[in-house]
Every structure is written in structure tokens, then in C-alpha cells.
mmCIF file of all heavy atoms in Angstrom:
data_model
loop_
_atom_site.group_PDB
_atom_site.id
_atom_site.type_symbol
_atom_site.label_atom_id
_atom_site.label_comp_id
_atom_site.label_asym_id
_atom_site.label_seq_id
_atom_site.Cartn_x
_atom_site.Cartn_y
_atom_site.Cartn_z
ATOM 1 N N THR G 1 0.820 -1.296 -0.038
ATOM 2 C CA THR G 1 -0.021 -0.011 0.030
ATOM 3 C C THR G 1 0.848 1.275 -0.135
ATOM 4 O O THR G 1 0.411 2.254 0.453
ATOM 5 C CB THR G 1 -0.829 -0.017 1.246
ATOM 6 O OG1 THR G 1 -0.137 -0.042 2.396
ATOM 7 C CG2 THR G 1 -1.900 -1.237 1.182
ATOM 8 N N THR G 2 2.092 1.197 -0.599
ATOM 9 C CA THR G 2 3.072 2.305 -0.402
ATOM 10 C C THR G 2 3.435 2.786 -1.837
ATOM 11 O O THR G 2 3.449 2.129 -2.920
ATOM 12 C CB THR G 2 4.241 1.871 0.218
ATOM 13 O OG1 THR G 2 3.816 1.530 1.536
ATOM 14 C CG2 THR G 2 5.401 2.915 0.323
ATOM 15 N N ALA G 3 3.496 4.129 -1.893
ATOM 16 C CA ALA G 3 4.243 4.839 -3.192
ATOM 17 C C ALA G 3 5.346 5.591 -2.633
ATOM 18 O O ALA G 3 5.369 6.244 -1.615
ATOM 19 C CB ALA G 3 3.131 5.755 -3.785
ATOM 20 N N ILE G 4 6.494 5.288 -3.321
ATOM 21 C CA ILE G 4 7.687 5.944 -3.040
ATOM 22 C C ILE G 4 8.174 6.771 -4.127
ATOM 23 O O ILE G 4 8.248 6.501 -5.360
ATOM 24 C CB ILE G 4 8.954 4.945 -2.849
ATOM 25 C CG1 ILE G 4 8.483 3.767 -1.814
ATOM 26 C CG2 ILE G 4 10.192 5.523 -2.452
ATOM 27 C CD1 ILE G 4 9.346 2.528 -1.811
ATOM 28 N N VAL G 5 8.536 7.944 -3.880
ATOM 29 C CA VAL G 5 9.016 9.031 -4.808
ATOM 30 C C VAL G 5 10.400 9.449 -4.492
ATOM 31 O O VAL G 5 10.698 9.971 -3.441
ATOM 32 C CB VAL G 5 8.160 10.288 -4.910
ATOM 33 C CG1 VAL G 5 8.599 11.327 -5.912
ATOM 34 C CG2 VAL G 5 6.647 10.009 -5.132
ATOM 35 N N ILE G 6 11.375 9.244 -5.370
ATOM 36 C CA ILE G 6 12.796 9.482 -5.227
ATOM 37 C C ILE G 6 13.117 10.675 -6.241
ATOM 38 O O ILE G 6 12.909 10.512 -7.456
ATOM 39 C CB ILE G 6 13.707 8.298 -5.458
ATOM 40 C CG1 ILE G 6 13.190 7.188 -4.583
ATOM 41 C CG2 ILE G 6 15.135 8.646 -5.113
ATOM 42 C CD1 ILE G 6 13.947 5.838 -4.976
ATOM 43 N N THR G 7 13.751 11.704 -5.760
ATOM 44 C CA THR G 7 14.181 12.648 -6.570
ATOM 45 C C THR G 7 15.370 13.419 -5.973
ATOM 46 O O THR G 7 15.837 13.023 -4.889
ATOM 47 C CB THR G 7 13.108 13.886 -6.862
ATOM 48 O OG1 THR G 7 13.589 14.648 -8.063
ATOM 49 C CG2 THR G 7 12.752 14.710 -5.722
ATOM 50 N N TRP G 8 16.122 14.337 -6.606
ATOM 51 C CA TRP G 8 17.263 15.054 -6.322
ATOM 52 C C TRP G 8 16.934 16.540 -6.093
ATOM 53 O O TRP G 8 16.153 17.088 -6.934
ATOM 54 C CB TRP G 8 18.381 14.719 -7.253
ATOM 55 C CG TRP G 8 18.996 13.283 -7.092
ATOM 56 C CD1 TRP G 8 20.185 13.051 -6.552
ATOM 57 C CD2 TRP G 8 18.407 12.086 -7.352
ATOM 58 N NE1 TRP G 8 20.398 11.780 -6.491
ATOM 59 C CE2 TRP G 8 19.328 11.080 -7.064
ATOM 60 C CE3 TRP G 8 17.117 11.574 -7.861
ATOM 61 C CZ2 TRP G 8 19.100 9.667 -7.247
ATOM 62 C CZ3 TRP G 8 16.958 10.241 -8.046
ATOM 63 C CH2 TRP G 8 17.961 9.309 -7.765
ATOM 64 N N ASP G 9 17.623 17.148 -5.168
ATOM 65 C CA ASP G 9 17.047 18.571 -4.857
ATOM 66 C C ASP G 9 17.433 19.692 -5.730
ATOM 67 O O ASP G 9 16.736 20.692 -5.830
ATOM 68 C CB ASP G 9 17.548 18.899 -3.434
ATOM 69 C CG ASP G 9 18.930 19.287 -3.394
ATOM 70 O OD1 ASP G 9 19.850 18.767 -4.134
ATOM 71 O OD2 ASP G 9 19.335 20.094 -2.491
ATOM 72 N N ASP G 10 18.566 19.581 -6.490
ATOM 73 C CA ASP G 10 18.922 20.547 -7.411
ATOM 74 C C ASP G 10 19.980 20.017 -8.458
ATOM 75 O O ASP G 10 20.375 18.925 -8.308
ATOM 76 C CB ASP G 10 19.368 21.756 -6.840
ATOM 77 C CG ASP G 10 20.756 21.521 -6.089
ATOM 78 O OD1 ASP G 10 21.757 21.317 -6.660
ATOM 79 O OD2 ASP G 10 20.867 21.848 -4.856
ATOM 80 N N PHE G 11 20.420 20.864 -9.462
ATOM 81 C CA PHE G 11 21.317 20.284 -10.590
ATOM 82 C C PHE G 11 22.632 20.099 -10.180
ATOM 83 O O PHE G 11 23.342 19.461 -10.795
ATOM 84 C CB PHE G 11 21.160 21.275 -11.705
ATOM 85 C CG PHE G 11 21.862 22.432 -11.639
ATOM 86 C CD1 PHE G 11 22.966 22.751 -12.510
ATOM 87 C CD2 PHE G 11 21.707 23.375 -10.672
ATOM 88 C CE1 PHE G 11 23.645 23.889 -12.583
ATOM 89 C CE2 PHE G 11 22.402 24.643 -10.536
ATOM 90 C CZ PHE G 11 23.483 24.934 -11.647
ATOM 91 N N GLY G 12 23.058 20.716 -8.996
ATOM 92 C CA GLY G 12 24.469 20.495 -8.558
ATOM 93 C C GLY G 12 25.458 20.912 -9.312
ATOM 94 O O GLY G 12 26.700 20.780 -9.144
ATOM 95 N N GLY G 13 25.151 21.794 -10.441
ATOM 96 C CA GLY G 13 26.175 22.281 -11.448
ATOM 97 C C GLY G 13 26.435 21.432 -12.497
ATOM 98 O O GLY G 13 27.164 21.753 -13.595
ATOM 99 N N PHE G 14 25.584 20.262 -12.654
ATOM 100 C CA PHE G 14 25.935 19.305 -13.726
ATOM 101 C C PHE G 14 25.167 19.588 -15.025
ATOM 102 O O PHE G 14 23.900 20.118 -14.901
ATOM 103 C CB PHE G 14 25.687 17.780 -13.318
ATOM 104 C CG PHE G 14 26.592 17.400 -12.166
ATOM 105 C CD1 PHE G 14 26.222 17.421 -10.827
ATOM 106 C CD2 PHE G 14 27.891 17.139 -12.538
ATOM 107 C CE1 PHE G 14 27.135 16.967 -9.864
ATOM 108 C CE2 PHE G 14 28.896 16.667 -11.621
ATOM 109 C CZ PHE G 14 28.559 16.603 -10.227
ATOM 110 N N TYR G 15 25.621 19.226 -16.198
ATOM 111 C CA TYR G 15 25.011 19.478 -17.467
ATOM 112 C C TYR G 15 23.545 18.787 -17.460
ATOM 113 O O TYR G 15 23.530 17.672 -17.148
ATOM 114 C CB TYR G 15 25.890 18.961 -18.533
ATOM 115 C CG TYR G 15 25.268 19.396 -19.944
ATOM 116 C CD1 TYR G 15 25.249 20.738 -20.461
ATOM 117 C CD2 TYR G 15 24.592 18.225 -20.619
ATOM 118 C CE1 TYR G 15 24.627 20.947 -21.651
ATOM 119 C CE2 TYR G 15 24.116 18.577 -21.941
ATOM 120 C CZ TYR G 15 24.147 19.854 -22.448
ATOM 121 O OH TYR G 15 23.485 20.065 -23.604
ATOM 122 N N ASP G 16 22.664 19.552 -18.179
ATOM 123 C CA ASP G 16 21.446 18.876 -18.663
ATOM 124 C C ASP G 16 20.976 19.753 -19.918
ATOM 125 O O ASP G 16 21.152 20.866 -19.903
ATOM 126 C CB ASP G 16 20.296 18.869 -17.726
ATOM 127 C CG ASP G 16 19.290 18.002 -18.076
ATOM 128 O OD1 ASP G 16 19.268 16.801 -17.831
ATOM 129 O OD2 ASP G 16 18.205 18.571 -18.642
ATOM 130 N N HIS G 17 20.486 19.120 -20.888
ATOM 131 C CA HIS G 17 20.242 19.703 -22.151
ATOM 132 C C HIS G 17 18.904 20.322 -22.386
ATOM 133 O O HIS G 17 18.627 21.011 -23.291
ATOM 134 C CB HIS G 17 20.490 18.733 -23.334
ATOM 135 C CG HIS G 17 19.380 17.809 -23.575
ATOM 136 N ND1 HIS G 17 19.119 16.588 -22.896
ATOM 137 C CD2 HIS G 17 18.387 17.794 -24.602
ATOM 138 C CE1 HIS G 17 18.032 16.028 -23.316
ATOM 139 N NE2 HIS G 17 17.655 16.667 -24.368
ATOM 140 N N VAL G 18 17.915 19.967 -21.432
ATOM 141 C CA VAL G 18 16.489 20.390 -21.618
ATOM 142 C C VAL G 18 16.361 21.724 -20.796
ATOM 143 O O VAL G 18 16.560 21.815 -19.651
ATOM 144 C CB VAL G 18 15.485 19.398 -21.015
ATOM 145 C CG1 VAL G 18 14.084 19.870 -21.158
ATOM 146 C CG2 VAL G 18 15.653 18.112 -21.844
ATOM 147 N N ALA G 19 15.799 22.684 -21.642
ATOM 148 C CA ALA G 19 15.616 24.001 -21.033
ATOM 149 C C ALA G 19 14.453 23.963 -19.993
ATOM 150 O O ALA G 19 13.320 23.580 -20.314
ATOM 151 C CB ALA G 19 15.331 25.055 -22.209
ATOM 152 N N PRO G 20 14.702 24.551 -18.791
ATOM 153 C CA PRO G 20 13.531 24.429 -17.911
ATOM 154 C C PRO G 20 12.440 25.394 -18.276
ATOM 155 O O PRO G 20 12.639 26.474 -18.693
ATOM 156 C CB PRO G 20 14.161 24.956 -16.452
ATOM 157 C CG PRO G 20 15.613 24.833 -16.775
ATOM 158 C CD PRO G 20 15.878 25.003 -18.196
ATOM 159 N N PRO G 21 11.276 25.142 -18.130
ATOM 160 C CA PRO G 21 10.042 26.004 -18.417
ATOM 161 C C PRO G 21 10.084 27.202 -17.383
ATOM 162 O O PRO G 21 10.650 26.927 -16.281
ATOM 163 C CB PRO G 21 8.829 25.038 -18.152
ATOM 164 C CG PRO G 21 9.254 23.659 -18.288
ATOM 165 C CD PRO G 21 10.621 23.701 -17.840
ATOM 166 N N GLN G 22 9.569 28.279 -17.727
ATOM 167 C CA GLN G 22 9.603 29.426 -16.719
ATOM 168 C C GLN G 22 8.271 29.443 -16.144
ATOM 169 O O GLN G 22 7.282 29.859 -16.708
ATOM 170 C CB GLN G 22 9.856 30.664 -17.591
ATOM 171 C CG GLN G 22 9.974 31.987 -16.737
ATOM 172 C CD GLN G 22 11.235 31.935 -15.919
ATOM 173 O OE1 GLN G 22 12.315 31.509 -16.391
ATOM 174 N NE2 GLN G 22 11.169 32.482 -14.676
ATOM 175 N N ALA G 23 8.282 28.936 -14.779
ATOM 176 C CA ALA G 23 7.035 28.775 -14.046
ATOM 177 C C ALA G 23 6.667 30.163 -13.402
ATOM 178 O O ALA G 23 5.540 30.547 -13.466
ATOM 179 C CB ALA G 23 7.112 27.770 -12.944
ATOM 180 N N ASP G 24 7.699 30.952 -12.991
ATOM 181 C CA ASP G 24 7.574 32.148 -12.297
ATOM 182 C C ASP G 24 8.948 32.804 -12.161
ATOM 183 O O ASP G 24 9.868 32.329 -12.802
ATOM 184 C CB ASP G 24 6.748 32.014 -10.852
ATOM 185 C CG ASP G 24 7.458 31.006 -10.027
ATOM 186 O OD1 ASP G 24 8.687 30.793 -10.129
ATOM 187 O OD2 ASP G 24 6.710 30.409 -9.079
ATOM 188 N N ASP G 25 9.130 33.817 -11.277
ATOM 189 C CA ASP G 25 10.468 34.473 -11.097
ATOM 190 C C ASP G 25 11.461 33.520 -10.479
ATOM 191 O O ASP G 25 12.728 33.859 -10.665
ATOM 192 C CB ASP G 25 10.299 35.688 -10.335
ATOM 193 C CG ASP G 25 9.521 36.759 -10.952
ATOM 194 O OD1 ASP G 25 9.385 36.663 -12.164
ATOM 195 O OD2 ASP G 25 9.108 37.696 -10.165
ATOM 196 N N PHE G 26 11.149 32.424 -9.913
ATOM 197 C CA PHE G 26 12.097 31.616 -9.323
ATOM 198 C C PHE G 26 12.371 30.176 -9.948
ATOM 199 O O PHE G 26 13.506 29.732 -9.640
ATOM 200 C CB PHE G 26 11.480 31.202 -7.881
ATOM 201 C CG PHE G 26 11.045 32.478 -6.973
ATOM 202 C CD1 PHE G 26 9.814 32.790 -6.817
ATOM 203 C CD2 PHE G 26 12.154 32.989 -6.291
ATOM 204 C CE1 PHE G 26 9.588 33.833 -5.983
ATOM 205 C CE2 PHE G 26 11.819 34.138 -5.425
ATOM 206 C CZ PHE G 26 10.500 34.523 -5.333
ATOM 207 N N GLY G 27 11.603 29.794 -10.858
ATOM 208 C CA GLY G 27 11.952 28.402 -11.481
ATOM 209 C C GLY G 27 11.100 28.297 -12.714
ATOM 210 O O GLY G 27 10.404 29.151 -13.081
ATOM 211 N N TYR G 28 11.269 27.101 -13.239
ATOM 212 C CA TYR G 28 11.976 25.951 -12.714
ATOM 213 C C TYR G 28 13.592 25.984 -12.820
ATOM 214 O O TYR G 28 14.171 26.754 -13.708
ATOM 215 C CB TYR G 28 11.578 24.735 -13.360
ATOM 216 C CG TYR G 28 9.953 24.541 -13.129
ATOM 217 C CD1 TYR G 28 9.216 24.040 -14.193
ATOM 218 C CD2 TYR G 28 9.363 24.893 -12.025
ATOM 219 C CE1 TYR G 28 7.965 23.820 -14.094
ATOM 220 C CE2 TYR G 28 7.941 24.681 -11.840
ATOM 221 C CZ TYR G 28 7.167 24.138 -12.956
ATOM 222 O OH TYR G 28 5.920 24.004 -12.773
ATOM 223 N N GLY G 29 14.192 25.183 -12.109
ATOM 224 C CA GLY G 29 15.666 24.903 -12.339
ATOM 225 C C GLY G 29 15.754 23.638 -13.335
ATOM 226 O O GLY G 29 14.893 23.169 -13.804
ATOM 227 N N PRO G 30 17.056 23.433 -13.601
ATOM 228 C CA PRO G 30 17.436 22.197 -14.448
ATOM 229 C C PRO G 30 16.714 20.926 -14.090
ATOM 230 O O PRO G 30 16.375 20.747 -12.883
ATOM 231 C CB PRO G 30 18.827 22.185 -14.589
ATOM 232 C CG PRO G 30 19.281 23.529 -14.111
ATOM 233 C CD PRO G 30 18.297 24.074 -13.210
ATOM 234 N N ARG G 31 16.500 19.978 -14.996
ATOM 235 C CA ARG G 31 16.046 18.648 -14.762
ATOM 236 C C ARG G 31 16.770 17.973 -13.580
ATOM 237 O O ARG G 31 18.091 17.995 -13.609
ATOM 238 C CB ARG G 31 16.007 17.857 -16.003
ATOM 239 C CG ARG G 31 14.989 18.193 -16.973
ATOM 240 C CD ARG G 31 14.800 17.115 -18.046
ATOM 241 N NE ARG G 31 16.159 16.722 -18.685
ATOM 242 C CZ ARG G 31 16.328 15.709 -19.417
ATOM 243 N NH1 ARG G 31 15.363 14.926 -19.858
ATOM 244 N NH2 ARG G 31 17.523 15.492 -19.987
ATOM 245 N N VAL G 32 16.005 17.204 -12.877
ATOM 246 C CA VAL G 32 16.603 16.260 -11.863
ATOM 247 C C VAL G 32 15.992 14.967 -12.139
ATOM 248 O O VAL G 32 14.955 14.796 -12.681
ATOM 249 C CB VAL G 32 16.505 16.788 -10.455
ATOM 250 C CG1 VAL G 32 17.223 18.057 -10.153
ATOM 251 C CG2 VAL G 32 14.841 17.025 -10.148
ATOM 252 N N PRO G 33 16.694 13.817 -11.616
ATOM 253 C CA PRO G 33 15.951 12.548 -11.848
ATOM 254 C C PRO G 33 14.702 12.394 -11.092
ATOM 255 O O PRO G 33 14.561 12.913 -9.984
ATOM 256 C CB PRO G 33 17.068 11.491 -11.468
ATOM 257 C CG PRO G 33 18.386 12.278 -11.519
ATOM 258 C CD PRO G 33 18.007 13.697 -11.210
ATOM 259 N N LEU G 34 13.917 11.557 -11.514
ATOM 260 C CA LEU G 34 12.643 11.141 -10.713
ATOM 261 C C LEU G 34 12.422 9.632 -10.923
ATOM 262 O O LEU G 34 12.284 9.143 -12.111
ATOM 263 C CB LEU G 34 11.457 11.955 -11.280
ATOM 264 C CG LEU G 34 10.063 11.516 -10.706
ATOM 265 C CD1 LEU G 34 9.962 11.868 -9.125
ATOM 266 C CD2 LEU G 34 8.985 12.145 -11.578
ATOM 267 N N ILE G 35 12.260 8.883 -9.917
ATOM 268 C CA ILE G 35 11.979 7.485 -9.907
ATOM 269 C C ILE G 35 10.806 7.258 -9.030
ATOM 270 O O ILE G 35 10.773 7.793 -7.858
ATOM 271 C CB ILE G 35 13.062 6.645 -9.499
ATOM 272 C CG1 ILE G 35 14.447 6.873 -10.224
ATOM 273 C CG2 ILE G 35 12.686 5.106 -9.428
ATOM 274 C CD1 ILE G 35 15.581 6.245 -9.712
ATOM 275 N N VAL G 36 9.676 6.611 -9.471
ATOM 276 C CA VAL G 36 8.409 6.436 -8.670
ATOM 277 C C VAL G 36 8.292 4.954 -8.454
ATOM 278 O O VAL G 36 8.366 4.234 -9.616
ATOM 279 C CB VAL G 36 7.237 7.074 -9.359
ATOM 280 C CG1 VAL G 36 6.026 6.735 -8.466
ATOM 281 C CG2 VAL G 36 7.387 8.565 -9.499
ATOM 282 N N ILE G 37 8.259 4.360 -7.357
ATOM 283 C CA ILE G 37 8.116 2.938 -7.070
ATOM 284 C C ILE G 37 6.929 2.696 -6.261
ATOM 285 O O ILE G 37 6.636 3.378 -5.286
ATOM 286 C CB ILE G 37 9.457 2.597 -6.277
ATOM 287 C CG1 ILE G 37 10.680 2.954 -7.011
ATOM 288 C CG2 ILE G 37 9.300 1.128 -5.794
ATOM 289 C CD1 ILE G 37 12.024 2.739 -6.191
ATOM 290 N N SER G 38 6.140 1.703 -6.793
ATOM 291 C CA SER G 38 4.850 1.342 -6.098
ATOM 292 C C SER G 38 4.444 0.005 -6.660
ATOM 293 O O SER G 38 4.816 -0.270 -7.950
ATOM 294 C CB SER G 38 3.779 2.354 -6.197
ATOM 295 O OG SER G 38 2.625 1.957 -5.628
ATOM 296 N N PRO G 39 3.630 -0.779 -5.999
ATOM 297 C CA PRO G 39 3.076 -1.889 -6.659
ATOM 298 C C PRO G 39 2.195 -1.434 -7.808
ATOM 299 O O PRO G 39 1.839 -2.406 -8.736
ATOM 300 C CB PRO G 39 2.241 -2.581 -5.574
ATOM 301 C CG PRO G 39 2.901 -2.138 -4.384
ATOM 302 C CD PRO G 39 3.372 -0.783 -4.499
ATOM 303 N N TYR G 40 1.749 -0.218 -7.875
ATOM 304 C CA TYR G 40 0.715 0.131 -8.901
ATOM 305 C C TYR G 40 1.265 1.114 -9.910
ATOM 306 O O TYR G 40 0.532 1.699 -10.665
ATOM 307 C CB TYR G 40 -0.600 0.757 -8.127
ATOM 308 C CG TYR G 40 -1.248 -0.237 -7.222
ATOM 309 C CD1 TYR G 40 -1.124 -0.394 -5.982
ATOM 310 C CD2 TYR G 40 -2.040 -1.325 -8.021
ATOM 311 C CE1 TYR G 40 -1.758 -1.275 -5.298
ATOM 312 C CE2 TYR G 40 -2.720 -2.184 -7.165
ATOM 313 C CZ TYR G 40 -2.486 -2.228 -5.928
ATOM 314 O OH TYR G 40 -3.191 -3.341 -5.150
ATOM 315 N N VAL G 41 2.574 1.325 -9.977
ATOM 316 C CA VAL G 41 3.202 2.158 -10.868
ATOM 317 C C VAL G 41 3.200 1.358 -12.250
ATOM 318 O O VAL G 41 3.403 0.127 -12.214
ATOM 319 C CB VAL G 41 4.623 2.542 -10.489
ATOM 320 C CG1 VAL G 41 5.567 2.948 -11.686
ATOM 321 C CG2 VAL G 41 4.677 3.654 -9.485
ATOM 322 N N LYS G 42 2.938 2.132 -13.209
ATOM 323 C CA LYS G 42 2.995 1.462 -14.723
ATOM 324 C C LYS G 42 4.376 1.038 -14.928
ATOM 325 O O LYS G 42 5.313 1.811 -14.750
ATOM 326 C CB LYS G 42 2.605 2.509 -15.740
ATOM 327 C CG LYS G 42 1.121 3.000 -15.573
ATOM 328 C CD LYS G 42 0.914 4.182 -16.572
ATOM 329 C CE LYS G 42 -0.517 4.752 -16.413
ATOM 330 N NZ LYS G 42 -0.910 5.843 -17.182
ATOM 331 N N GLU G 43 4.517 -0.177 -15.128
ATOM 332 C CA GLU G 43 5.831 -0.743 -15.173
ATOM 333 C C GLU G 43 6.664 -0.574 -16.418
ATOM 334 O O GLU G 43 6.079 -0.581 -17.462
ATOM 335 C CB GLU G 43 5.726 -2.346 -15.005
ATOM 336 C CG GLU G 43 5.225 -2.756 -13.579
ATOM 337 C CD GLU G 43 5.117 -4.174 -13.476
ATOM 338 O OE1 GLU G 43 6.079 -4.875 -13.630
ATOM 339 O OE2 GLU G 43 3.988 -4.647 -13.152
ATOM 340 N N ARG G 44 7.894 -0.287 -16.351
ATOM 341 C CA ARG G 44 8.848 0.018 -17.354
ATOM 342 C C ARG G 44 8.429 1.221 -18.304
ATOM 343 O O ARG G 44 8.350 0.987 -19.551
ATOM 344 C CB ARG G 44 9.027 -1.278 -18.245
ATOM 345 C CG ARG G 44 9.684 -2.323 -17.314
ATOM 346 C CD ARG G 44 9.866 -3.726 -18.149
ATOM 347 N NE ARG G 44 10.640 -4.701 -17.418
ATOM 348 C CZ ARG G 44 9.878 -5.640 -16.713
ATOM 349 N NH1 ARG G 44 8.576 -5.583 -16.600
ATOM 350 N NH2 ARG G 44 10.681 -6.502 -15.988
ATOM 351 N N ILE G 45 7.943 2.235 -17.729
ATOM 352 C CA ILE G 45 7.663 3.392 -18.628
ATOM 353 C C ILE G 45 8.570 4.498 -18.268
ATOM 354 O O ILE G 45 9.110 4.593 -17.075
ATOM 355 C CB ILE G 45 6.182 3.835 -18.520
ATOM 356 C CG1 ILE G 45 5.833 4.181 -16.853
ATOM 357 C CG2 ILE G 45 5.219 2.685 -18.757
ATOM 358 C CD1 ILE G 45 5.949 5.558 -16.621
#
């Protein structure tokens, strides 16, 4: 009955090629990894 979300807090200075959308004056920042783990996550997507 659990959903786990793993991410990283900021870009750390490392390269990423995707331009962040401009949400407001503060962000977004560069992409960070996201892994979602759960019995009900769509597998291998």
C-alpha cells in the first residue's frame, strides 16, 4: 500500500540539455532525476 518518490534537490552544477520551463520568477531549475516505485506504478515506462 506504499508509493515511493525519489528525486534530487537541485542540479548540482551538472549538465542537462533540456531548457527548464519558466514557471515564475524563481523557477524551474534544470531537470533532476525522478523515480517512482509502487506496486501500482505503470511498469517500465
